[in-house]
Short mmCIF file of all heavy atoms in Angstrom, two decimals:
data_model
loop_
_atom_site.label_atom_id
_atom_site.label_comp_id
_atom_site.label_asym_id
_atom_site.label_seq_id
_atom_site.Cartn_x
_atom_site.Cartn_y
_atom_site.Cartn_z
N VAL A 12 2.31 11.50 -10.34
CA VAL A 12 1.40 12.54 -10.60
C VAL A 12 1.93 13.85 -10.10
O VAL A 12 1.73 14.85 -10.88
CB VAL A 12 0.07 12.27 -9.71
CG1 VAL A 12 -0.86 13.56 -9.92
CG2 VAL A 12 -0.66 11.07 -10.33
N LEU A 14 5.24 14.84 -10.20
CA LEU A 14 6.19 15.27 -11.08
C LEU A 14 5.68 15.72 -12.35
O LEU A 14 6.11 16.72 -13.02
CB LEU A 14 7.07 14.04 -11.42
CG LEU A 14 8.21 13.72 -10.30
CD1 LEU A 14 8.84 12.33 -10.57
CD2 LEU A 14 9.22 14.83 -10.32
N VAL A 36 22.24 22.65 -11.59
CA VAL A 36 21.22 23.23 -10.70
C VAL A 36 20.77 22.20 -9.61
O VAL A 36 20.21 22.64 -8.70
CB VAL A 36 19.93 23.52 -11.62
CG1 VAL A 36 20.31 24.56 -12.57
CG2 VAL A 36 19.42 22.20 -12.30
N ALA A 48 21.85 1.76 3.95
CA ALA A 48 22.45 1.68 2.55
C ALA A 48 22.53 2.93 1.84
O ALA A 48 21.59 3.69 1.84
CB ALA A 48 21.66 0.52 1.77
N THR A 57 21.01 25.28 -3.33
CA THR A 57 20.56 26.48 -2.54
C THR A 57 21.73 27.27 -2.14
O THR A 57 21.61 28.42 -1.52
CB THR A 57 19.71 26.15 -1.31
OG1 THR A 57 20.27 25.22 -0.40
CG2 THR A 57 18.33 25.56 -1.80
N ARG A 74 27.27 30.61 2.56
CA ARG A 74 27.02 30.09 1.20
C ARG A 74 25.48 30.05 0.76
O ARG A 74 25.27 30.07 -0.42
CB ARG A 74 27.55 28.63 1.28
CG ARG A 74 28.99 28.37 1.51
CD ARG A 74 29.42 26.97 1.96
NE ARG A 74 28.90 26.14 0.92
CZ ARG A 74 28.33 25.01 1.13
NH1 ARG A 74 28.21 24.57 2.43
NH2 ARG A 74 28.06 24.11 0.15
N LEU A 87 10.68 24.04 -1.82
CA LEU A 87 10.72 23.84 -3.09
C LEU A 87 12.16 23.24 -3.50
O LEU A 87 12.12 22.55 -4.56
CB LEU A 87 10.67 25.10 -3.91
CG LEU A 87 9.14 25.77 -3.88
CD1 LEU A 87 9.23 27.10 -4.57
CD2 LEU A 87 8.19 24.79 -4.55
N LEU A 114 26.34 8.12 10.66
CA LEU A 114 26.08 6.74 10.99
C LEU A 114 26.71 6.19 12.13
O LEU A 114 26.18 5.43 12.94
CB LEU A 114 26.24 5.78 9.74
CG LEU A 114 25.27 5.88 8.62
CD1 LEU A 114 25.64 5.02 7.39
CD2 LEU A 114 23.90 5.75 8.99
N LEU A 116 27.85 7.62 14.64
CA LEU A 116 27.60 8.44 15.89
C LEU A 116 26.35 8.14 16.60
O LEU A 116 25.99 8.44 17.65
CB LEU A 116 27.57 9.93 15.51
CG LEU A 116 28.88 10.46 14.84
CD1 LEU A 116 28.68 11.90 14.49
CD2 LEU A 116 30.12 10.33 15.77
N LYS A 128 12.43 3.19 4.99
CA LYS A 128 13.11 4.14 4.00
C LYS A 128 12.96 5.56 4.49
O LYS A 128 12.06 6.03 5.20
CB LYS A 128 12.36 4.12 2.72
CG LYS A 128 12.49 2.77 1.85
CD LYS A 128 11.88 2.86 0.54
CE LYS A 128 11.87 1.54 -0.19
NZ LYS A 128 11.07 1.56 -1.41
N ILE A 131 10.71 12.33 2.36
CA ILE A 131 10.65 13.78 1.94
C ILE A 131 10.33 14.53 3.24
O ILE A 131 10.91 15.50 3.56
CB ILE A 131 9.89 13.98 0.79
CG1 ILE A 131 10.58 13.56 -0.48
CG2 ILE A 131 9.78 15.64 0.50
CD1 ILE A 131 9.61 13.61 -1.79
N ALA A 135 9.26 14.04 12.57
CA ALA A 135 10.02 15.07 13.20
C ALA A 135 9.90 16.41 12.51
O ALA A 135 9.93 17.51 13.06
CB ALA A 135 11.44 14.59 13.16
N ARG A 140 10.84 20.25 12.91
CA ARG A 140 11.67 20.51 11.87
C ARG A 140 13.14 20.62 12.36
O ARG A 140 13.55 19.88 13.17
CB ARG A 140 11.22 21.52 10.87
CG ARG A 140 11.73 21.33 9.38
CD ARG A 140 11.00 22.50 8.56
NE ARG A 140 11.53 22.56 7.27
CZ ARG A 140 11.17 23.37 6.31
NH1 ARG A 140 10.11 24.20 6.58
NH2 ARG A 140 11.71 23.42 5.13
N TRP A 145 18.73 17.47 18.12
CA TRP A 145 18.92 16.23 17.50
C TRP A 145 18.33 14.98 18.26
O TRP A 145 17.69 14.15 17.60
CB TRP A 145 20.37 15.92 17.37
CG TRP A 145 21.09 16.79 16.22
CD1 TRP A 145 22.15 17.85 16.34
CD2 TRP A 145 20.83 16.46 14.85
NE1 TRP A 145 22.30 18.14 15.16
CE2 TRP A 145 21.75 17.50 14.11
CE3 TRP A 145 20.17 15.68 14.10
CZ2 TRP A 145 21.78 17.53 12.73
CZ3 TRP A 145 20.17 15.75 12.69
CH2 TRP A 145 20.87 16.66 11.98
N VAL A 153 12.15 7.56 15.73
CA VAL A 153 11.99 6.16 16.15
C VAL A 153 10.48 5.98 16.56
O VAL A 153 9.96 4.75 16.28
CB VAL A 153 12.88 5.85 17.38
CG1 VAL A 153 12.57 4.42 17.90
CG2 VAL A 153 14.31 5.92 16.92
N TYR A 155 8.04 7.21 14.97
CA TYR A 155 7.33 6.85 13.62
C TYR A 155 7.60 5.51 13.22
O TYR A 155 6.79 4.75 12.75
CB TYR A 155 7.79 7.83 12.67
CG TYR A 155 7.35 7.51 11.22
CD1 TYR A 155 6.08 7.86 10.87
CD2 TYR A 155 8.20 6.84 10.36
CE1 TYR A 155 5.54 7.41 9.64
CE2 TYR A 155 7.64 6.40 9.07
CZ TYR A 155 6.46 6.78 8.84
OH TYR A 155 5.91 6.38 7.56
N LYS A 174 2.65 23.25 7.71
CA LYS A 174 3.89 23.75 8.22
C LYS A 174 4.75 24.65 7.14
O LYS A 174 5.30 25.62 7.58
CB LYS A 174 4.81 22.62 8.69
CG LYS A 174 4.44 21.84 9.92
CD LYS A 174 4.60 22.71 11.12
CE LYS A 174 4.18 21.98 12.36
NZ LYS A 174 4.32 22.81 13.58
N GLU A 190 22.85 22.88 13.30
CA GLU A 190 24.08 22.56 13.77
C GLU A 190 24.41 20.86 13.44
O GLU A 190 23.49 20.18 13.41
CB GLU A 190 24.25 22.77 15.29
CG GLU A 190 25.62 22.40 15.85
CD GLU A 190 25.64 22.75 17.36
OE1 GLU A 190 24.51 22.76 17.91
OE2 GLU A 190 26.78 22.82 17.96
N PHE A 192 25.38 17.23 13.72
CA PHE A 192 25.21 16.23 14.82
C PHE A 192 26.69 15.65 15.17
O PHE A 192 27.42 15.30 14.31
CB PHE A 192 24.37 15.10 14.33
CG PHE A 192 24.12 14.01 15.28
CD1 PHE A 192 23.73 14.27 16.52
CD2 PHE A 192 24.59 12.68 15.03
CE1 PHE A 192 23.53 13.18 17.60
CE2 PHE A 192 24.34 11.74 15.91
CZ PHE A 192 23.87 12.01 17.24
#
Side-chain angles (χ1 to χ4, degrees):
V12 171
L14 283 168
V36 297
T57 56
R74 298 166 53 224
L87 288 173
L114 289 179
L116 302 177
K128 287 182 183 178
I131 293 178
R140 202 171 172 184
W145 282 111
V153 173
Y155 171 80
K174 291 286 182 182
E190 184 180 16
F192 178 59

